[in-house]
Amino acid sequence: MSIQFKALPTEAVRALQRGGPDAYGRMPEQRISDGDGVPCRHCMKNVAAGQGYLILAYRPFPELQPYAETGPIFLHAQECERAAEADALPEMLESSDYIVRGYGKDDRIVYGSGAVIATGDIAARAETLFERDDIAYIHVRSARNNCYQCRIERA
């Protein structure tokens, strides 16, 4: 089976970069990167030292419901190119491990699908989860803070 790592949609990111409100209706905060641990969820690269970035609340779900987690993410402050959908691990995933968790067509967590997975094993774990009919898509989240990183879908 083939999988695709998917970045945030450009239309949503451009609205935020142009000053639109985040998931809480607030304006994104602007900071300057020190070059350490600031992964942009659109280009899926780290924001380089000296570059501006945004901190904002993001909800990667189409509507509010009990499982629609909202949390902080980073984006380049200036427009960047969206990462291509690919089966290769995104450059920004530099930690030793991540939470990999499946969601159903109803956008709710599929219990028993989540686990902390070594970074190099994320693709294999996703392929295993996609063998299940009840998994519609997968989130990769930080293992330390549960921050949304990216989405994985069947290719």
Side-chain angles (χ1 to χ4, degrees), residues 21-152:
D22 68 7
Y24 293 147
R26 299 178 53 91
M27 296 303 112
E29 296 178 11
Q30 294 199 26
R31 299 283 189 275
I32 300 297
S33 176
D34 65 2
D36 185 31
V38 184
C40 176
R41 278 37 171 223
H42 184 249
C43 66
M44 293 208 261
K45 297 178 181 175
N46 285 307
V47 179
Q51 290 185 333
Y53 70 97
L54 305 175
I55 305 171
L56 58 111
Y58 185 73
R59 187 186 71 239
F61 298 94
E63 59 188 42
L64 290 174
Q65 42 94 353
Y67 293 89
E69 300 158 294
T70 302
I73 65 163
F74 306 123
L75 294 172
H76 276 100
Q78 300 299 315
E79 292 185 4
C80 58
E81 187 173 330
R82 184 176 190 245
E85 296 174 4
D87 60 358
L89 202 63
E91 179 182 314
M92 71 177 189
L93 298 180
E94 296 180 331
S95 291
S96 60
D97 52 18
Y98 289 88
I99 296 169
V100 176
R101 183 167 54 224
Y103 293 80
K105 291 177 183 150
D106 61 357
D107 297 307
R108 293 172 183 250
I109 294 168
V110 175
Y111 283 100
S113 68
V116 176
I117 303 295
T119 303
D121 296 334
I122 290 174
R125 175 67 177 166
E127 289 181 0
T128 298
L129 286 174
F130 281 138
E131 291 173 1
R132 298 173 51 167
D133 292 334
D134 57 345
I135 304 288
Y137 60 91
I138 294 166
H139 281 182
V140 178
R141 293 176 169 268
S142 76
R144 308 301 175 278
N145 301 307
N146 196 36
C147 298
Y148 175 83
Q149 303 295 315
C150 64
R151 179 172 166 142
I152 304 174

